Amino acid sequence: MSAFLVTVARELRIAARNKASLLMPPLFFAIVVTLFALGGKPGDPQLAAVAPSVLWVGALLAALLTLDRLFRGDLDDGWLEQVFIAPASPVGMVLGKFAAHWLLTGLPLLLLAAPLALQLGFPSGAPLGWLLLGLLMGTPLLSIVGGFAAALTVSLPRAGLLLPVLVLPLLAPVVIFGSGAARAAQAGLDASGPIYFLAFLLVLSLTLLPWAATAALRSAFD
Amino acid sequence: MSAFLVTVARELRIAARNKASLLMPPLFFAIVVTLFALGGKPGDPQLAAVAPSVLWVGALLAALLTLDRLFRGDLDDGWLEQVFIAPASPVGMVLGKFAAHWLLTGLPLLLLAAPLALQLGFPSGAPLGWLLLGLLMGTPLLSIVGGFAAALTVSLPRAGLLLPVLVLPLLAPVVIFGSGAARAAQAGLDASGPIYFLAFLLVLSLTLLPWAATAALRSAFD
Amino acid sequence: MWTWFHRLASPPSFYRFADRVAPWLAVAALLLLGYGLFAGLWIAPKDYQQGDAFRIIYVHVPAAALSLSLYTGMAIAGVVALIWRIKLAECAIVALAPIGASFTALALVTGMLWGKPMWGAYWVWDARLTSELVLLFLYLGVIGLDQAFLDRRAAARACALLAIVGAVNVPIVKYSVEWWNSLHQASTILKFGKPTITAEMAIPLYASLLGAYLLAGMAALRRMQNEVLLRERRAGWVRELTAV
Amino acid sequence: MLRGCPIAQPRALIPFLSASDLSIGRGDRTLLSGLNLSISPGDVLHLRGRNGAGKSSLIEVLVGLRPARGGTLKRPAADQFHWIGHRNALNSDLGVRENLEGWCALNGVAASGIAAALERTGLARLRHRQVRTLSAGQKRRAALTRLLLAQRPLWLLDEPLSGLDGEGLALLGQLMNEHVAGDGGIVVTSHQSLPGRLPRVTIIDLG
Amino acid sequence: MLRGCPIAQPRALIPFLSASDLSIGRGDRTLLSGLNLSISPGDVLHLRGRNGAGKSSLIEVLVGLRPARGGTLKRPAADQFHWIGHRNALNSDLGVRENLEGWCALNGVAASGIAAALERTGLARLRHRQVRTLSAGQKRRAALTRLLLAQRPLWLLDEPLSGLDGEGLALLGQLMNEHVAGDGGIVVTSHQSLPGRLPRVTIIDLG
Ligand code: HEM
Ligand SMILES: Nc1ncnc2c1ncn2[C@@H]1O[C@H](COP(=O)(O)OP(=O)(O)OP(=O)(O)O)[C@@H](O)[C@H]1O
Ligand SMILES: Nc1ncnc2c1ncn2[C@@H]1O[C@H](COP(=O)(O)OP(=O)(O)OP(=O)(O)O)[C@@H](O)[C@H]1O
Ligand SMILES: [Mg+2]
Ligand SMILES: [Mg+2]
């Protein structure tokens, strides 16, 4: 079995240890949406307009809040070193981490996005399709770019806010294009432009960042 | 020296080890506000209307992102146990953690709130005063309530999104009242009601939560 | 009285006590709910404003009332568990959370169904509704926290602390209709003194309210029994019990 | 016994710590039960037992970190004992001296003794080094330095020898000797035999 | 030397690993320099030295986790050696067996040997226990179980004895004996003397 599959299986297993943790991403989104709604004027009818931003920012936050720990536990207990000396390629492990992170936070969000968007008054039909397509491209990007930043900061003592500060500028384009596509579709305009751009970013980061993250992790041993 | 002062000094020292980390909270805050401004329609004149929510949600996020680690390192390296068997009261340590968290994330944000609010088009003068007063009451609340939740979850393996899921509902009233006060002041209404409520919550949580957090930490040893 | 209480607080005697009481509670709850719901849904007159839509009140109000009462009960159990370290109170916390969450969800769903004809929307972000949603999140938080701990005692302690702290939300839900100008209707039925509702409508409502309380009590006893068994699975009396 | 006449009672008979019929568990298992022990001035109690016997758990109960499952336990006040657990309680971002200063401040002890103590444990040159960059044995030495920072009559040490080199072992033996000679008491777990020539060692085998 | 005639070279002379003029540093300090070593089948290399001498750093260089500062190093392929560091590389949320299964999968080794290996290291009863709830020595045993999961000729062990009880020590001695008897090689650091009766131990003192 390759390092990729091993890692995905391992992460899912750890998550499954605590069944309730699987419910946390949807719960988290529901709470974020509620908070947004509360932060705005009570009973604001214009929630539909902000629906794309709310969903995208929610996805970004869920990614951010879980990224900090992506590699830390493995570094602290020595597993990361075992992976790097094993015959299998460590890039597989890194990719597995990214995939598991997406499965555990990105995918639940994607499944929940449609009902939440409708709840907020976002139009169903084609606009919803574009919104979901954007999230389908964008949530893996959050995991990959965020995971790269997590690898960069893993050996830093007080990464705390450094990670988000690194990630946010990197991911700002993703959020802007993603919610831009949904807003364009909402307004009846063509939304394919931003989606192509997201797809391009996804391919680009999928080909480069796993290697960059692996290199970052390797230098974390010293 | 009491456990309180020891802890504050220790936390500030650790933060000072990594000077750049001191700049992260304001930087993060500025990025979040910028992102919000970008996420809305570009050049939206209504930014001023959402300014209070943006600032409050930004504060909430900055608190959330650093809370996860509040007690974890000390639990892992065994320091927490030394504190609990020391002659000094562990509540002092907990209060010190809360205070240091506020000094390192709440205070920088408070200092930055005025320029950012004006940037977003929030009216200066009395409304700004109310906004800042709200943040002055509210940011310690974020540290205290959030710190309590961090203590509850510190020994949990995959707390992941559990911490935010616990914290957000508890903090919802804070954000609602805080941004409510600013919006009331913006609209020229009396904003003292929500502020009194925040002050009440602050006093309440300051008298209860340090003890609750201490109890939660004590049970983390098993 | 005190000794009786102490004896009851020991897990085996509680277990037997619950075994004896729960069936009676179940029967009483069934009768009251049966009467209340039947009378409310078929016999009571139509509301002159709302027509038949108002009948959802017979589910909504008991569910909403229990969502608050159960949280309060959970917080009180939390205080008892932390101060007196009574095991049964620890069991009560984790036993009450899912029941409370269910009633809260029921209150939300019936409220939404009712909201559509009354306010023209399933959901509006108003203070009562939102704080009730926050209540649901708090319940789910307690459940999540409980699930996350391996050790049952540690779980109960953490849940107790969270339940107590979350109790600030209860008065917010209860008085949100007075503190904010809410769409939701203000307290009339559950106010002490003169209810402003005709007896034909009120009596079935009170019946189903009481029935819901008894139902919740029965569920709480049963769940507590489960929790006791789980915790004491190595104890002699449980071995005897399961051996039979 | 002669009441009102404290001189008649030899000092060595007032135990620092005593437990009777103690029982100790983890999770839902009971590890030890019916345990009786007492440590008086000059005593060394060497806890032995196979991996997982419950030595660390016992020490954690003795220091009050964990409740006993049963029995009675008379513990000394918080400023009357030192406890060094498996973990070193050193923050890896801070320097060695900074870490010890924090400990002194927490315990209301003057920080002026740190330099001399570090000299003794051989870490004087490393006092400004971030703990993160120390070797395993150097970290253990830093943790043990605490024993010298405050004079406390009872020491409870969980595997203090782990990671120490020969010189470190000799040093620890010497420290324990001195402590016992000054009427201190020691409870120590170790799979190796104890260094130094300790006069009165009681071995308790937990099985 | 007879070129083209491999049979003439006795097997024991092909070293698993050899280093010449190796120099090793941490941060901006050079710890060791001019080091020559080679491990052939049947060899045991016992690295000793004071705390902070650089034993762990040296082993980490030998396994390829850290670059050497100078010199030449011939390392075996990744599936030709075992390395057990100071840390156990066990996830504390997973069970003992789950952890080992993950390691097997990562290394392309059949997981069918796990049960027997755990039996040997005395953890069979604990195989489903979360690692978090193991004692220090039990964790160390779990880490050492890896040595039995794959037959690899070279073992590099950093303080493998730490935390082990007497029985664990004997077991490890036996494992090392068997390994060496089967023409394996071992590099091991330990402050204690090695358990078991190993035939050919070279002690390298790093100072
Ligand atoms: C999702 C939407 C709704 C939620 C979350 C909700 C929640 C609640 C809550 C928490 C109570 C308080 C129970 C107590 O005081 O013990 C309550 C009572 C009540 N609700 Fe709702 N409700 C919703 C929608 C509605 C709608 C649409 C109506 C009808 C117009 C309605 C009518 C009532 C009535 C009549 C009471 C009893 C008030 C009294 O006299 O005390 N609710 N509801
Ligand atoms: N990241 C680092 N930066 C600078 N120096 C370091 C770093 N890590 C370790 N050192 C130093 O390198 C030296 C060697 O450390 P190493 O862990 O190899 O020692 P060791 O011989 O294994 O000691 P021990 O017996 O205590 O395990 C030590 O003096 C240590 O202080
Ligand atoms: N959180 C826990 N839940 C359940 N069992 C636990 C927990 N922690 C430890 N144990 C078990 O309790 C027993 C005693 O552990 P303890 O750490 O006290 O052993 P020890 O005698 O110090 O062993 P060692 O020599 O390995 O340090 C072990 O069998 C261990 O598996
Ligand atoms: Mg131990
Ligand atoms: Mg070492």
Side-chain angles (χ1 to χ4, degrees), chain A residues 1 6 10 13-14 17 75-77 81-82 87 222, chain E residues 66 78 83 87 89-91 93 98 101 105 107 130:
Chain A
M1 207 173 7
V6 175
R10 190 177 147 93
R13 223 176 218 181
I14 293 174
R17 275 274 133 161
L75 181 69
D76 288 347
D77 68 24
E81 298 178 343
Q82 288 288 345
D222 208 61
Chain E
R66 204 180 284 293
W83 168 67
R87 288 172 303 176
L90 299 168
N91 183 294
D93 303 331
E98 279 174 321
E101 278 166 4
N107 286 273
Q130 254 196 331

PDB file of all heavy atoms in Angstrom, chain A residues 1 6 10 13-14 17 75-77 81-82 87 222, chain E residues 66 78 83 87 89-91 93 98 101 105 107 130:
ATOM      1  N   MET A   1       0.859  -1.192   0.000  1.00  0.00           N
ATOM      2  CA  MET A   1       0.000   0.000   0.000  1.00  0.00           C
ATOM      3  C   MET A   1       0.896   1.243   0.000  1.00  0.00           C
ATOM      4  O   MET A   1       1.899   1.298   0.683  1.00  0.00           O
ATOM      5  CB  MET A   1      -0.898  -0.007   1.234  1.00  0.00           C
ATOM      6  CG  MET A   1      -2.161   0.745   0.974  1.00  0.00           C
ATOM      7  SD  MET A   1      -3.418   0.666   2.263  1.00  0.00           S
ATOM      8  CE  MET A   1      -2.725  -0.163   3.638  1.00  0.00           C
ATOM      9  N   VAL A   6      -2.087   4.703   3.033  1.00  0.00           N
ATOM     10  CA  VAL A   6      -1.839   4.499   4.456  1.00  0.00           C
ATOM     11  C   VAL A   6      -2.262   5.728   5.243  1.00  0.00           C
ATOM     12  O   VAL A   6      -2.953   5.633   6.262  1.00  0.00           O
ATOM     13  CB  VAL A   6      -0.336   4.257   4.713  1.00  0.00           C
ATOM     14  CG1 VAL A   6      -0.076   4.182   6.210  1.00  0.00           C
ATOM     15  CG2 VAL A   6       0.137   3.009   4.030  1.00  0.00           C
ATOM     16  N   ARG A  10      -5.217   6.074   7.913  1.00  0.00           N
ATOM     17  CA  ARG A  10      -4.835   6.386   9.288  1.00  0.00           C
ATOM     18  C   ARG A  10      -5.605   7.592   9.816  1.00  0.00           C
ATOM     19  O   ARG A  10      -6.146   7.583  10.932  1.00  0.00           O
ATOM     20  CB  ARG A  10      -3.338   6.673   9.263  1.00  0.00           C
ATOM     21  CG  ARG A  10      -2.682   6.800  10.599  1.00  0.00           C
ATOM     22  CD  ARG A  10      -1.183   7.006  10.354  1.00  0.00           C
ATOM     23  NE  ARG A  10      -0.645   7.863  11.376  1.00  0.00           N
ATOM     24  CZ  ARG A  10      -0.097   7.413  12.494  1.00  0.00           C
ATOM     25  NH1 ARG A  10      -0.006   6.137  12.688  1.00  0.00           N
ATOM     26  NH2 ARG A  10       0.347   8.251  13.397  1.00  0.00           N
ATOM     27  N   ARG A  13      -9.188   6.810  10.402  1.00  0.00           N
ATOM     28  CA  ARG A  13      -9.318   5.968  11.576  1.00  0.00           C
ATOM     29  C   ARG A  13      -9.255   6.803  12.847  1.00  0.00           C
ATOM     30  O   ARG A  13     -10.025   6.608  13.775  1.00  0.00           O
ATOM     31  CB  ARG A  13      -8.145   5.005  11.577  1.00  0.00           C
ATOM     32  CG  ARG A  13      -8.560   3.629  11.945  1.00  0.00           C
ATOM     33  CD  ARG A  13      -7.379   2.733  11.837  1.00  0.00           C
ATOM     34  NE  ARG A  13      -7.765   1.462  11.306  1.00  0.00           N
ATOM     35  CZ  ARG A  13      -6.910   0.467  11.122  1.00  0.00           C
ATOM     36  NH1 ARG A  13      -5.632   0.659  11.392  1.00  0.00           N
ATOM     37  NH2 ARG A  13      -7.330  -0.664  10.665  1.00  0.00           N
ATOM     38  N   ILE A  14      -8.306   7.719  12.868  1.00  0.00           N
ATOM     39  CA  ILE A  14      -8.184   8.563  14.059  1.00  0.00           C
ATOM     40  C   ILE A  14      -9.464   9.368  14.237  1.00  0.00           C
ATOM     41  O   ILE A  14      -9.988   9.499  15.343  1.00  0.00           O
ATOM     42  CB  ILE A  14      -6.963   9.490  13.942  1.00  0.00           C
ATOM     43  CG1 ILE A  14      -5.680   8.666  13.966  1.00  0.00           C
ATOM     44  CG2 ILE A  14      -6.953  10.504  15.061  1.00  0.00           C
ATOM     45  CD1 ILE A  14      -4.428   9.468  13.725  1.00  0.00           C
ATOM     46  N   ARG A  17     -12.287   7.389  15.639  1.00  0.00           N
ATOM     47  CA  ARG A  17     -12.188   7.092  17.065  1.00  0.00           C
ATOM     48  C   ARG A  17     -13.227   7.885  17.838  1.00  0.00           C
ATOM     49  O   ARG A  17     -13.657   7.524  18.912  1.00  0.00           O
ATOM     50  CB  ARG A  17     -10.815   7.556  17.574  1.00  0.00           C
ATOM     51  CG  ARG A  17      -9.746   6.563  17.379  1.00  0.00           C
ATOM     52  CD  ARG A  17      -9.739   5.631  18.525  1.00  0.00           C
ATOM     53  NE  ARG A  17      -9.665   4.289  18.043  1.00  0.00           N
ATOM     54  CZ  ARG A  17      -9.277   3.275  18.791  1.00  0.00           C
ATOM     55  NH1 ARG A  17      -8.942   3.461  20.036  1.00  0.00           N
ATOM     56  NH2 ARG A  17      -9.250   2.080  18.300  1.00  0.00           N
ATOM     57  N   LEU A  75       4.624  15.135  13.987  1.00  0.00           N
ATOM     58  CA  LEU A  75       5.989  15.583  14.227  1.00  0.00           C
ATOM     59  C   LEU A  75       6.360  15.323  15.679  1.00  0.00           C
ATOM     60  O   LEU A  75       7.450  14.830  15.986  1.00  0.00           O
ATOM     61  CB  LEU A  75       6.114  17.077  13.917  1.00  0.00           C
ATOM     62  CG  LEU A  75       7.524  17.645  14.110  1.00  0.00           C
ATOM     63  CD1 LEU A  75       8.474  17.109  13.069  1.00  0.00           C
ATOM     64  CD2 LEU A  75       7.531  19.157  14.088  1.00  0.00           C
ATOM     65  N   ASP A  76       5.446  15.635  16.589  1.00  0.00           N
ATOM     66  CA  ASP A  76       5.765  15.507  18.010  1.00  0.00           C
ATOM     67  C   ASP A  76       5.968  14.060  18.436  1.00  0.00           C
ATOM     68  O   ASP A  76       6.817  13.780  19.279  1.00  0.00           O
ATOM     69  CB  ASP A  76       4.646  16.127  18.865  1.00  0.00           C
ATOM     70  CG  ASP A  76       4.659  17.635  18.782  1.00  0.00           C
ATOM     71  OD1 ASP A  76       5.658  18.182  18.286  1.00  0.00           O
ATOM     72  OD2 ASP A  76       3.680  18.272  19.194  1.00  0.00           O
ATOM     73  N   ASP A  77       5.183  13.147  17.890  1.00  0.00           N
ATOM     74  CA  ASP A  77       5.336  11.777  18.382  1.00  0.00           C
ATOM     75  C   ASP A  77       6.372  10.975  17.589  1.00  0.00           C
ATOM     76  O   ASP A  77       6.632   9.823  17.900  1.00  0.00           O
ATOM     77  CB  ASP A  77       3.990  11.045  18.464  1.00  0.00           C
ATOM     78  CG  ASP A  77       3.360  10.769  17.111  1.00  0.00           C
ATOM     79  OD1 ASP A  77       4.088  10.710  16.112  1.00  0.00           O
ATOM     80  OD2 ASP A  77       2.136  10.604  17.047  1.00  0.00           O
ATOM     81  N   GLU A  81       9.096  11.300  11.201  1.00  0.00           N
ATOM     82  CA  GLU A  81      10.450  10.833  10.909  1.00  0.00           C
ATOM     83  C   GLU A  81      10.417   9.408  10.359  1.00  0.00           C
ATOM     84  O   GLU A  81      11.143   9.079   9.419  1.00  0.00           O
ATOM     85  CB  GLU A  81      11.308  10.896  12.172  1.00  0.00           C
ATOM     86  CG  GLU A  81      11.439  12.318  12.684  1.00  0.00           C
ATOM     87  CD  GLU A  81      12.249  12.410  13.968  1.00  0.00           C
ATOM     88  OE1 GLU A  81      12.434  11.381  14.620  1.00  0.00           O
ATOM     89  OE2 GLU A  81      12.689  13.524  14.289  1.00  0.00           O
ATOM     90  N   GLN A  82       9.549   8.580  10.933  1.00  0.00           N
ATOM     91  CA  GLN A  82       9.433   7.215  10.424  1.00  0.00           C
ATOM     92  C   GLN A  82       8.985   7.236   8.962  1.00  0.00           C
ATOM     93  O   GLN A  82       9.426   6.414   8.160  1.00  0.00           O
ATOM     94  CB  GLN A  82       8.456   6.395  11.273  1.00  0.00           C
ATOM     95  CG  GLN A  82       8.984   6.017  12.646  1.00  0.00           C
ATOM     96  CD  GLN A  82      10.083   4.954  12.616  1.00  0.00           C
ATOM     97  OE1 GLN A  82      10.281   4.295  11.602  1.00  0.00           O
ATOM     98  NE2 GLN A  82      10.811   4.833  13.703  1.00  0.00           N
ATOM     99  N   PRO A  87      10.639   3.246   3.041  1.00  0.00           N
ATOM    100  CA  PRO A  87      10.875   3.087   1.602  1.00  0.00           C
ATOM    101  C   PRO A  87       9.890   3.902   0.754  1.00  0.00           C
ATOM    102  O   PRO A  87      10.242   4.368  -0.330  1.00  0.00           O
ATOM    103  CB  PRO A  87      10.667   1.589   1.361  1.00  0.00           C
ATOM    104  CG  PRO A  87      10.721   0.952   2.699  1.00  0.00           C
ATOM    105  CD  PRO A  87      10.373   1.959   3.704  1.00  0.00           C
ATOM    106  N   ASP A 222      15.261  19.566  11.929  1.00  0.00           N
ATOM    107  CA  ASP A 222      16.408  20.117  12.637  1.00  0.00           C
ATOM    108  C   ASP A 222      15.989  21.133  13.689  1.00  0.00           C
ATOM    109  O   ASP A 222      15.097  21.913  13.490  1.00  0.00           O
ATOM    110  CB  ASP A 222      17.376  20.768  11.660  1.00  0.00           C
ATOM    111  CG  ASP A 222      18.765  20.703  12.234  1.00  0.00           C
ATOM    112  OD1 ASP A 222      19.245  19.586  12.452  1.00  0.00           O
ATOM    113  OD2 ASP A 222      19.352  21.764  12.501  1.00  0.00           O
TER     114      ASP A 222
ATOM    115  N   ARG E  66      19.179  13.598   8.727  1.00  0.00           N
ATOM    116  CA  ARG E  66      19.887  14.843   8.919  1.00  0.00           C
ATOM    117  C   ARG E  66      21.141  14.730   8.076  1.00  0.00           C
ATOM    118  O   ARG E  66      21.727  13.657   7.996  1.00  0.00           O
ATOM    119  CB  ARG E  66      20.268  14.901  10.398  1.00  0.00           C
ATOM    120  CG  ARG E  66      20.507  16.199  11.024  1.00  0.00           C
ATOM    121  CD  ARG E  66      20.864  15.935  12.476  1.00  0.00           C
ATOM    122  NE  ARG E  66      19.708  15.594  13.284  1.00  0.00           N
ATOM    123  CZ  ARG E  66      18.731  16.446  13.554  1.00  0.00           C
ATOM    124  NH1 ARG E  66      18.791  17.689  13.102  1.00  0.00           N
ATOM    125  NH2 ARG E  66      17.713  16.084  14.279  1.00  0.00           N
ATOM    126  N   ALA E  78      16.386   2.001   2.206  1.00  0.00           N
ATOM    127  CA  ALA E  78      15.388   2.269   3.242  1.00  0.00           C
ATOM    128  C   ALA E  78      14.787   0.986   3.813  1.00  0.00           C
ATOM    129  O   ALA E  78      14.372   0.970   4.982  1.00  0.00           O
ATOM    130  CB  ALA E  78      14.285   3.154   2.676  1.00  0.00           C
ATOM    131  N   TRP E  83      14.956   1.806  12.429  1.00  0.00           N
ATOM    132  CA  TRP E  83      15.440   2.855  13.316  1.00  0.00           C
ATOM    133  C   TRP E  83      14.390   3.112  14.383  1.00  0.00           C
ATOM    134  O   TRP E  83      13.220   3.317  14.071  1.00  0.00           O
ATOM    135  CB  TRP E  83      15.725   4.140  12.535  1.00  0.00           C
ATOM    136  CG  TRP E  83      15.957   5.322  13.418  1.00  0.00           C
ATOM    137  CD1 TRP E  83      17.016   5.513  14.255  1.00  0.00           C
ATOM    138  CD2 TRP E  83      15.121   6.479  13.553  1.00  0.00           C
ATOM    139  NE1 TRP E  83      16.887   6.704  14.903  1.00  0.00           N
ATOM    140  CE2 TRP E  83      15.745   7.313  14.504  1.00  0.00           C
ATOM    141  CE3 TRP E  83      13.924   6.879  12.989  1.00  0.00           C
ATOM    142  CZ2 TRP E  83      15.199   8.532  14.889  1.00  0.00           C
ATOM    143  CZ3 TRP E  83      13.373   8.087  13.367  1.00  0.00           C
ATOM    144  CH2 TRP E  83      14.007   8.910  14.302  1.00  0.00           C
ATOM    145  N   ARG E  87      11.836   8.969  20.421  1.00  0.00           N
ATOM    146  CA  ARG E  87      10.370   9.022  20.452  1.00  0.00           C
ATOM    147  C   ARG E  87       9.801   7.770  19.828  1.00  0.00           C
ATOM    148  O   ARG E  87      10.399   7.177  18.937  1.00  0.00           O
ATOM    149  CB  ARG E  87       9.902  10.279  19.720  1.00  0.00           C
ATOM    150  CG  ARG E  87      10.214  11.509  20.579  1.00  0.00           C
ATOM    151  CD  ARG E  87       9.945  12.764  19.834  1.00  0.00           C
ATOM    152  NE  ARG E  87      10.701  12.831  18.595  1.00  0.00           N
ATOM    153  CZ  ARG E  87      10.588  13.803  17.715  1.00  0.00           C
ATOM    154  NH1 ARG E  87       9.745  14.766  17.933  1.00  0.00           N
ATOM    155  NH2 ARG E  87      11.307  13.802  16.628  1.00  0.00           N
ATOM    156  N   ALA E  89       7.062   7.169  18.030  1.00  0.00           N
ATOM    157  CA  ALA E  89       6.318   7.189  16.767  1.00  0.00           C
ATOM    158  C   ALA E  89       5.018   6.408  16.865  1.00  0.00           C
ATOM    159  O   ALA E  89       4.657   5.648  15.973  1.00  0.00           O
ATOM    160  CB  ALA E  89       7.179   6.662  15.610  1.00  0.00           C
ATOM    161  N   LEU E  90       4.335   6.596  17.991  1.00  0.00           N
ATOM    162  CA  LEU E  90       3.023   5.965  18.160  1.00  0.00           C
ATOM    163  C   LEU E  90       1.996   7.070  18.321  1.00  0.00           C
ATOM    164  O   LEU E  90       2.191   7.996  19.114  1.00  0.00           O
ATOM    165  CB  LEU E  90       3.021   5.092  19.423  1.00  0.00           C
ATOM    166  CG  LEU E  90       4.017   3.937  19.450  1.00  0.00           C
ATOM    167  CD1 LEU E  90       4.110   3.352  20.850  1.00  0.00           C
ATOM    168  CD2 LEU E  90       3.591   2.865  18.463  1.00  0.00           C
ATOM    169  N   ASN E  91       0.933   6.968  17.594  1.00  0.00           N
ATOM    170  CA  ASN E  91      -0.144   7.948  17.743  1.00  0.00           C
ATOM    171  C   ASN E  91      -0.949   7.603  18.982  1.00  0.00           C
ATOM    172  O   ASN E  91      -1.434   6.485  19.125  1.00  0.00           O
ATOM    173  CB  ASN E  91      -1.037   7.912  16.509  1.00  0.00           C
ATOM    174  CG  ASN E  91      -2.122   8.947  16.585  1.00  0.00           C
ATOM    175  OD1 ASN E  91      -3.004   8.871  17.421  1.00  0.00           O
ATOM    176  ND2 ASN E  91      -2.057   9.933  15.732  1.00  0.00           N
ATOM    177  N   ASP E  93      -3.845   8.364  19.965  1.00  0.00           N
ATOM    178  CA  ASP E  93      -5.288   8.115  19.839  1.00  0.00           C
ATOM    179  C   ASP E  93      -5.596   6.734  19.288  1.00  0.00           C
ATOM    180  O   ASP E  93      -6.696   6.232  19.460  1.00  0.00           O
ATOM    181  CB  ASP E  93      -5.928   9.140  18.906  1.00  0.00           C
ATOM    182  CG  ASP E  93      -5.674  10.526  19.400  1.00  0.00           C
ATOM    183  OD1 ASP E  93      -5.535  10.668  20.625  1.00  0.00           O
ATOM    184  OD2 ASP E  93      -5.588  11.446  18.580  1.00  0.00           O
ATOM    185  N   GLU E  98      -3.388  -0.981  15.832  1.00  0.00           N
ATOM    186  CA  GLU E  98      -3.632  -0.048  14.735  1.00  0.00           C
ATOM    187  C   GLU E  98      -2.359   0.702  14.360  1.00  0.00           C
ATOM    188  O   GLU E  98      -2.041   0.893  13.188  1.00  0.00           O
ATOM    189  CB  GLU E  98      -4.706   0.960  15.138  1.00  0.00           C
ATOM    190  CG  GLU E  98      -6.111   0.450  15.010  1.00  0.00           C
ATOM    191  CD  GLU E  98      -7.107   1.459  15.574  1.00  0.00           C
ATOM    192  OE1 GLU E  98      -6.812   2.077  16.602  1.00  0.00           O
ATOM    193  OE2 GLU E  98      -8.177   1.614  14.983  1.00  0.00           O
ATOM    194  N   GLU E 101      -0.131  -1.638  12.520  1.00  0.00           N
ATOM    195  CA  GLU E 101      -0.667  -1.887  11.178  1.00  0.00           C
ATOM    196  C   GLU E 101      -0.298  -0.751  10.239  1.00  0.00           C
ATOM    197  O   GLU E 101       0.089  -0.974   9.086  1.00  0.00           O
ATOM    198  CB  GLU E 101      -2.194  -2.038  11.234  1.00  0.00           C
ATOM    199  CG  GLU E 101      -2.660  -3.424  11.635  1.00  0.00           C
ATOM    200  CD  GLU E 101      -4.141  -3.448  12.001  1.00  0.00           C
ATOM    201  OE1 GLU E 101      -4.805  -2.389  11.869  1.00  0.00           O
ATOM    202  OE2 GLU E 101      -4.619  -4.500  12.421  1.00  0.00           O
ATOM    203  N   ALA E 105       1.852  -1.088   6.824  1.00  0.00           N
ATOM    204  CA  ALA E 105       1.353  -0.645   5.526  1.00  0.00           C
ATOM    205  C   ALA E 105       2.321   0.341   4.893  1.00  0.00           C
ATOM    206  O   ALA E 105       2.627   0.269   3.700  1.00  0.00           O
ATOM    207  CB  ALA E 105      -0.030  -0.019   5.689  1.00  0.00           C
ATOM    208  N   ASN E 107       5.414   0.506   5.265  1.00  0.00           N
ATOM    209  CA  ASN E 107       6.664  -0.132   4.871  1.00  0.00           C
ATOM    210  C   ASN E 107       6.459  -1.332   3.952  1.00  0.00           C
ATOM    211  O   ASN E 107       7.402  -2.068   3.689  1.00  0.00           O
ATOM    212  CB  ASN E 107       7.439  -0.557   6.114  1.00  0.00           C
ATOM    213  CG  ASN E 107       8.057   0.638   6.800  1.00  0.00           C
ATOM    214  OD1 ASN E 107       9.152   1.040   6.470  1.00  0.00           O
ATOM    215  ND2 ASN E 107       7.319   1.247   7.717  1.00  0.00           N
ATOM    216  N   GLN E 130      -5.753   2.071  23.597  1.00  0.00           N
ATOM    217  CA  GLN E 130      -5.251   3.331  23.057  1.00  0.00           C
ATOM    218  C   GLN E 130      -3.862   3.585  23.636  1.00  0.00           C
ATOM    219  O   GLN E 130      -3.662   3.446  24.845  1.00  0.00           O
ATOM    220  CB  GLN E 130      -6.174   4.455  23.502  1.00  0.00           C
ATOM    221  CG  GLN E 130      -7.060   4.988  22.408  1.00  0.00           C
ATOM    222  CD  GLN E 130      -7.658   6.321  22.800  1.00  0.00           C
ATOM    223  OE1 GLN E 130      -7.854   6.574  23.976  1.00  0.00           O
ATOM    224  NE2 GLN E 130      -7.956   7.146  21.833  1.00  0.00           N
TER     225      GLN E 130
END
